[in-house]
Amino acid sequence: RLTGKKFDSHSHLMQEIKELASKKELAAAECGLKLSKKLQRLEESHDFIQFAKQKGAQVTPKSTKYVRVSNEGVSWVMATTQHITKQQIRAIVITVFKAMGIAFE
């Protein structure tokens, strides 16, 4: 667990997020948890934000169009109205949610 470090979408620390996500995924597997099928089906940023809230992440408005999703020392800024269909962008959001520990069930 990285304590006291904050990550966001403009950070050069994406590699650390990926490493943390891998560790969390291994820990989840040891507990019998898997990547949420619901999370894998989401396409709208609003739905990703609602998913994060339901999993206990803190969601803080940054402006009228953006929120910061935070959990376990990891933060990510998301647009509130964005259709996320590009696999690469969805993969990044899912990786960040893994690092936050909220992607598993």
Side-chain angles (χ1 to χ4, degrees):
R1 178 176 175 176
L2 298 175
T3 306
K5 287 193 176 183
K6 297 259 182 200
F7 301 99
D8 61 45
S9 56
H10 304 293
S11 174
H12 67 281
L13 301 173
M14 190 64 196
Q15 185 59 39
E16 287 187 56
I17 290 175
K18 288 179 182 178
E19 290 171 11
L20 180 58
S22 293
K23 289 177 185 176
K24 294 268 178 104
E25 193 165 17
L26 287 173
E30 288 175 2
C31 296
L33 301 174
K34 295 182 180 183
L35 183 62
S36 168
K37 291 188 184 295
K38 178 181 178 181
L39 176 61
Q40 295 177 67
R41 289 190 304 266
L42 300 179
E43 292 185 354
E44 301 294 329
S45 61
H46 175 76
D47 295 329
F48 280 98
I49 293 164
Q50 289 303 314
F51 178 89
K53 281 183 183 178
Q54 291 170 353
K55 291 291 191 166
Q58 182 180 9
V59 177
T60 309
K62 284 196 56 77
S63 68
T64 57
K65 295 184 180 187
Y66 294 93
V67 297
R68 179 179 302 276
V69 178
S70 305
N71 199 57
E72 295 187 9
V74 179
S75 296
W76 191 259
V77 176
M78 294 187 70
T80 56
T81 56
Q82 182 179 6
H83 188 69
I84 303 174
T85 54
K86 286 195 170 189
Q87 271 311 107
Q88 184 179 11
I89 296 171
R90 289 182 74 249
I92 291 169
V93 173
I94 290 172
T95 299
V96 171
F97 280 19
K98 286 179 184 178
M100 289 180 185
I102 61 172
F104 312 104
E105 52 187 26

